[in-house]
Amino acid sequence: MPEHKAASRLWFSGLCFLLQILNILLFAVFVRYSPESSPGQCPPQLNCSRRNQDPDFQQPRFQDVHIQVLLSFGLLVAFLSRYGPGSAAISILIIAFAIQWAVLIQGMFYFFLNGKIYMGAQSMVSADFCTAAVLISTGAVLGRVNPVQMLLLALLEVTLCTLNEYILLSLMGVSDSGGSLTIHTFGAYFGLMVSRVLYQPHKDKRKREEQQDKGHQTDAFAVVGTIYLWIFWPSFTSITTVHDNAENWAVLNTYFSLVASTVSTFILSPVLYEESTPRMVQIQDATLAGIAMMGMAGEMLVTPFGALIAGLLVGLISPLGFRFFTPLLRSRLKIQDTCGIHNTHGLPGILGALLGTLLTLLATADTYGYRLELVFPLVAQGSRTVTDQALIQLSALPLTLLLATLGGCLTG
């Protein structure tokens, strides 16, 4: 056993060294500063439509997104008292590696010109988005895979996540600024399929017992993680829609959705569980569900009361999911979902995509005004009808599920 542990440590150390050296060499060969970061405009040869290329891109907004990925997700996966500190540390490692790898892979798709990848602040935002999907996936296998396997998962998922994102946003013209599909749905079902392939019936019972091992440390992590969600996720949702006042809809809709989904937890949890007050982990999960719901619809005309209704309904999914769906996944489909990402990211992401499709059908030039060109540029230009755009939005859902499940099976 000591020899096995020593070998594992060497494998881990060696893989970290090799991956970092690989990133350094690839950066040296391909990566250069982007001309879009200068006062001049982005060259037309680059695919700069992926993210906002405003030369006045605000550094504080990028910091909000980066803090959201680094702290919120790092704390959210630390809810098992046995694995908490270690999982938070591994999350930081995954973030550090995935951001570098995502800059390279996404650069090949979006910012590649004359044999070079031109990166700026927008490249980092895109990398943070992709890293968020990887961190969601790790929630399904937390405590069941070692750090070496986590790094391999990140290596493969960043590549497949970028492919899915490129197909949806660039080739199909899907509007999904906050990532209902590209982040929440893809990350959740990718991780669930990895968990399914790694299912080990003899260890399943022991892992369930470990999952029950929760203490005061759990609530402390959940409190801090939930606070960071409330503070920084509206910036995360709206960072790609910064055009004049267009970001206001995404910020407001996200806030309304997460407050209503939080109230839903206090409505349903006392009915389903013996505690009169929900645990902080349950409030944290409801907050995530409300956020995922607004990933696609956030920049659309949801209206404040519509965002409240959507948040109220999706907030019911988290407690119902943990009470009924999670045991069903484990017993029938042999999927051990450690952090419950199916309830907090998967189902809310799907519902968010369906809500976004419905709102696309209702979009008109009269109601959106100048924003129509920002949210649905092809519709505003007349190259697509609203019905065509809605069908494309809808078709993106099964495509994302297909790529996520196939990629998760391969990775597992």
Side-chain angles (χ1 to χ4, degrees):
M1 184 64 70
E3 292 81 5
H4 175 71
K5 290 183 178 180
S8 297
R9 290 197 301 270
L10 290 176
W11 268 105
F12 179 47
S13 176
L15 182 62
C16 289
F17 176 77
L18 289 176
L19 290 177
Q20 188 58 50
I21 292 299
L22 174 64
N23 280 331
I24 290 173
L25 292 175
L26 291 174
F27 267 69
V29 174
F30 293 108
V31 179
R32 300 292 182 270
Y33 290 125
S34 174
E36 78 203 32
S37 61
S38 66
Q41 293 191 354
C42 176
Q45 296 93 335
L46 294 181
N47 185 358
C48 296
S49 60
R50 169 62 185 89
R51 300 289 175 202
N52 173 45
Q53 303 299 321
D54 191 340
D56 296 326
F57 181 85
Q58 299 128 314
Q59 182 71 11
R61 299 180 69 88
F62 164 68
Q63 291 174 346
D64 286 353
V65 172
H66 201 60
I67 290 172
Q68 169 66 39
V69 171
L70 182 64
L71 287 178
S72 294
F73 278 106
L75 293 168
L76 292 178
V77 299
F79 84 105
L80 298 183
S81 58
R82 174 165 181 167
Y83 300 111
S87 63
I90 294 301
S91 293
I92 294 176
L93 170 64
I94 296 302
I95 292 167
F97 167 71
I99 285 177
Q100 298 176 70
W101 189 240
V103 167
L104 290 166
I105 299 299
Q106 292 185 331
M108 293 293 181
F109 283 93
Y110 299 113
F111 308 114
F112 194 75
L113 178 64
N114 297 329
K116 302 297 179 184
I117 296 171
Y118 292 94
M119 66 160 294
Q122 286 73 27
S123 305
M124 296 300 297
V125 171
S126 300
D128 278 336
F129 270 56
C130 190
T131 301
V134 175
L135 292 173
I136 289 171
S137 297
T138 62
V141 296
L142 180 64
R144 302 169 59 221
V145 297
N146 59 44
V148 171
Q149 292 169 319
M150 285 284 199
L151 282 172
L152 295 176
L153 183 149
L155 181 73
L156 291 170
E157 184 171 2
V158 165
T159 306
L160 295 169
C161 179
T162 302
L163 175 62
N164 178 67
E165 189 180 68
Y166 180 75
I167 292 173
L168 265 58
L169 303 187
S170 293
L171 300 184
M172 297 174 62
V174 173
S175 176
D176 187 29
S177 62
S180 280
L181 289 176
T182 55
I183 298 174
H184 297 283
T185 303
F186 185 91
Y189 288 97
F190 186 98
L192 290 172
M193 292 312 298
V194 173
S195 179
R196 175 63 185 87
V197 175
L198 297 180
Y199 175 73
Q200 295 175 296
H202 299 297
K203 296 183 179 181
D204 185 55
K205 182 178 179 180
R206 180 168 62 85
K207 294 300 180 184
R208 290 205 305 272
E209 292 171 353
E210 290 170 353
Q211 186 170 346
Q212 303 297 325
D213 181 23
K214 301 174 182 176
H216 296 294
Q217 169 184 278
T218 302
D219 280 340
F221 278 126
V223 169
V224 179
T226 304
I227 290 172
Y228 276 110
L229 285 174
W230 279 63
I231 295 173
F232 294 110
W233 202 292
S235 293
F236 189 92
T237 304
S238 65
I239 189 68
T240 63
T241 62
V242 186
H243 302 277
D244 297 326
N245 293 323
E247 78 277 13
N248 289 341
W249 281 7
V251 170
L252 294 175
N253 289 334
T254 301
Y255 266 123
F256 287 134
S257 180
L258 70 87
V259 296
S261 64
T262 302
V263 172
S264 289
T265 302
F266 286 87
I267 295 172
L268 198 55
S269 289
V271 178
L272 297 176
Y273 303 97
E274 294 180 358
E275 299 100 333
S276 58
T277 303
R279 295 176 60 88
M280 272 306 303
V281 172
Q282 295 171 327
I283 298 171
Q284 167 189 285
D285 293 336
T287 303
L288 281 168
I291 288 166
M293 185 71 169
M294 284 296 117
M296 180 182 290
E299 65 175 344
M300 301 179 188
L301 187 57
V302 185
T303 71
F305 80 90
L308 288 172
I309 293 173
L312 180 69
L313 294 177
V314 78
L316 301 175
I317 288 180
S318 183
L320 285 172
F322 280 102
R323 184 69 175 83
F324 301 107
F325 297 158
T326 300
L328 187 65
L329 285 176
R330 185 172 56 241
S331 61
R332 297 293 179 87
L333 301 179
K334 310 303 180 186
I335 296 176
Q336 180 67 22
D337 184 6
T338 309
C339 292
I341 62 172
H342 183 245
N343 310 313
T344 56
H345 296 281
L347 288 177
I350 290 176
L351 292 177
L354 296 176
L355 176 62
T357 300
L358 175 61
L359 292 172
T360 302
L361 276 173
L362 302 176
T364 64
D366 292 335
T367 56
Y368 275 70
Y370 76 96
R371 292 180 54 98
L372 186 66
E373 186 174 357
L374 304 177
V375 181
F376 304 114
L378 296 178
V379 174
Q381 295 166 11
S383 56
R384 274 185 194 168
T385 66
V386 170
T387 304
D388 292 338
Q389 182 67 40
L391 289 174
I392 289 174
Q393 299 280 132
L394 183 61
S395 64
L397 175 58
L399 178 59
T400 297
L401 292 173
L402 177 64
L403 289 174
T405 53
L406 292 178
C409 286
L410 172 67
T411 301

